[in-house]
Amino acid sequence: MTGLRFHKLSFAYPRQAELFSEVDLDLTGQADQSSVVALMGPSGSGKSTLLRLLLGLEKPTSGSIAFEPSLPVISYVPQEPVLFEHLPVEHNARYFSLAGAHRDRFDEALYEQLVTDLGLSDIVTAKRPVTQLSGGQRQRLSMLRALSVRPDVLLLDEPCNGLDAAVKRAFLISLRKIAERSKLRVIYVTHHVAEAEMVVDEVLYLAPVQGQNNVRVLHTTMSAFLQAPPTVDAALAHGFPATNVLMDGVASTGTGRPVAVGRVERAEGAQANCRVTARSAQYTFMEHLVSGSELIVQNELAQDAKPGDLVQAELRIGATVAK
């Protein structure tokens, strides 16, 4: 498996504030192991920029990115698959055996195995244009092409966007199996914790610094991320939609506390700590009276509550985390 290190990595786009500032990061591992790393963070936090830095499409303003061994072959699968519409499906799949700098790395045996693993046996032999493929088929075809040259590193930019649940599940299972067999380093951009939880070992979380234009790069294991999300945004992403956070009363502090909500009962006066604001088929929505935070609970915990009711919610409050 290919190792990856950032040494005091800084980056800024021309005439803009610095996005990354002296980031140190060590992603190493055993050569005979695989690793799938989720690259996560709020929209606009720099996930695509970090991918571009890894691909060499952007250069650090200072510091360095080092791979071990050096000069790895990096395959990239963008969010929207890039296919050649003038070529048949099979020629798209075998593109690197026909052209490209890595033609000598095309592996026929691996290609055939990937066709099976990705469920593309009937697709690659079909005599139809790629424009007639579904979104899931196009994504898997792009993955097949990227992996056919035995890359050392695989970069995936939200590969499951637009896929239905069954196709997404099959895609992620294939990804993990392929990573294990090929001892791959995979860096996988996603906004969805449930996806990451299924296949990921480690998390790189890009956390915007409150009141500044740059971001912190937080490195943790997937299990630690689930047990103790590093920021409020990370906590809200975990367990969507029913993760709850009480924001501190002073908005400028940008901090909050994850909270588990238990039984909800009608209450009056000082006993009430929430007001019910809405109710759907599955969830009850409440406003916390002190912080103004929006809380969500399953209806079975608030069976008798109706919009407008004052209620007392059992709240188990966790440690403070930054925004």
Side-chain angles (χ1 to χ4, degrees):
M1 177 176 62
T2 301
L4 170 64
R5 285 191 173 92
F6 293 174
H7 177 65
K8 296 192 179 304
L9 174 73
S10 297
F11 176 79
Y13 286 107
R15 296 180 296 281
Q16 292 188 26
E18 198 167 62
L19 180 60
F20 300 118
S21 179
E22 297 194 339
V23 176
D24 287 313
L25 175 68
D26 189 348
L27 288 178
T28 56
Q30 301 298 319
D32 61 349
Q33 294 179 344
S34 63
S35 176
V36 181
V37 180
L39 179 55
M40 305 181 71
S43 296
S45 59
K47 298 183 294 297
S48 294
T49 298
L50 193 55
L51 283 189
R52 290 178 62 83
L53 285 163
L54 292 172
L55 287 165
L57 299 175
E58 302 287 354
K59 301 298 182 184
T61 51
S62 63
S64 63
I65 298 174
F67 292 97
E68 297 179 3
S70 60
L71 301 177
V73 172
I74 301 175
S75 283
Y76 171 55
V77 179
Q79 188 172 337
E80 293 294 330
V82 177
L83 301 176
F84 303 106
E85 296 184 359
H86 65 289
L87 294 178
V89 171
E90 188 169 11
H91 285 189
N92 269 276
R94 291 180 173 274
Y95 180 78
F96 289 121
S97 72
L98 306 169
H102 302 303
R103 184 188 307 178
D104 60 332
R105 288 184 63 101
F106 183 86
D107 187 321
E108 183 65 34
L110 174 61
Y111 173 86
E112 295 295 343
Q113 181 64 55
L114 290 169
V115 168
T116 300
D117 287 347
L118 292 168
L120 290 170
S121 299
D122 295 333
I123 303 301
V124 296
T125 57
K127 304 298 182 183
R128 56 172 169 164
V130 293
T131 54
Q132 292 182 7
L133 299 181
S134 69
Q137 291 168 339
R138 291 170 66 90
Q139 191 65 277
R140 285 180 287 148
L141 184 63
S142 184
M143 181 89 145
L144 169 60
R145 184 178 61 197
L147 289 167
S148 66
V149 292
R150 292 180 286 110
D152 303 301
V153 179
L154 177 65
L155 304 181
L156 302 171
D157 191 357
E158 300 193 55
C160 293
N161 268 13
L163 304 186
D164 63 41
V167 173
K168 181 186 298 186
R169 180 178 184 274
F171 180 87
L172 291 172
I173 291 172
S174 297
L175 171 64
R176 189 70 227 198
K177 287 166 58 179
I178 292 164
E180 291 287 339
R181 188 174 60 246
S182 302
K183 312 307 178 191
L184 261 179
R185 166 78 68 191
V186 180
I187 298 179
Y188 165 48
V189 176
T190 180
H191 286 279
H192 304 291
V193 175
E195 284 180 21
E197 186 176 4
M198 183 174 169
V199 296
V200 160
D201 304 300
E202 303 170 83
V203 176
L204 293 180
Y205 192 84
L206 304 190
V209 178
Q210 190 76 10
Q212 300 181 32
N213 292 319
N214 64 349
V215 300
R216 294 176 294 154
V217 180
L218 307 176
H219 177 210
T220 184
T221 64
M222 188 72 235
S223 58
F225 180 88
L226 295 173
Q227 292 168 11
T231 70
V232 169
D233 288 324
L236 290 170
H238 172 41
F240 180 87
T243 296
N244 293 298
V245 174
L246 291 181
M247 297 304 298
D248 287 342
V250 182
S252 61
T253 65
T255 60
R257 292 161 292 164
V259 57
V261 183
R263 189 74 183 171
V264 176
E265 298 179 341
R266 291 183 184 177
E268 296 294 339
Q271 291 185 326
N273 59 6
C274 294
R275 176 182 290 103
V276 177
T277 57
R279 193 174 170 98
S280 70
Q282 294 294 323
Y283 293 101
T284 297
F285 303 83
M286 305 182 299
E287 179 186 4
H288 186 246
L289 295 178
V290 174
S291 68
S293 303
E294 298 288 346
L295 305 178
I296 306 173
V297 297
Q298 292 184 335
N299 284 344
E300 63 190 35
L301 294 174
Q303 292 182 354
D304 299 326
K306 300 188 300 296
D309 284 349
L310 290 173
V311 295
Q312 183 182 56
E314 177 188 352
L315 303 178
R316 297 184 294 277
I317 300 172
T320 299
V321 292
K323 179 68 168 70

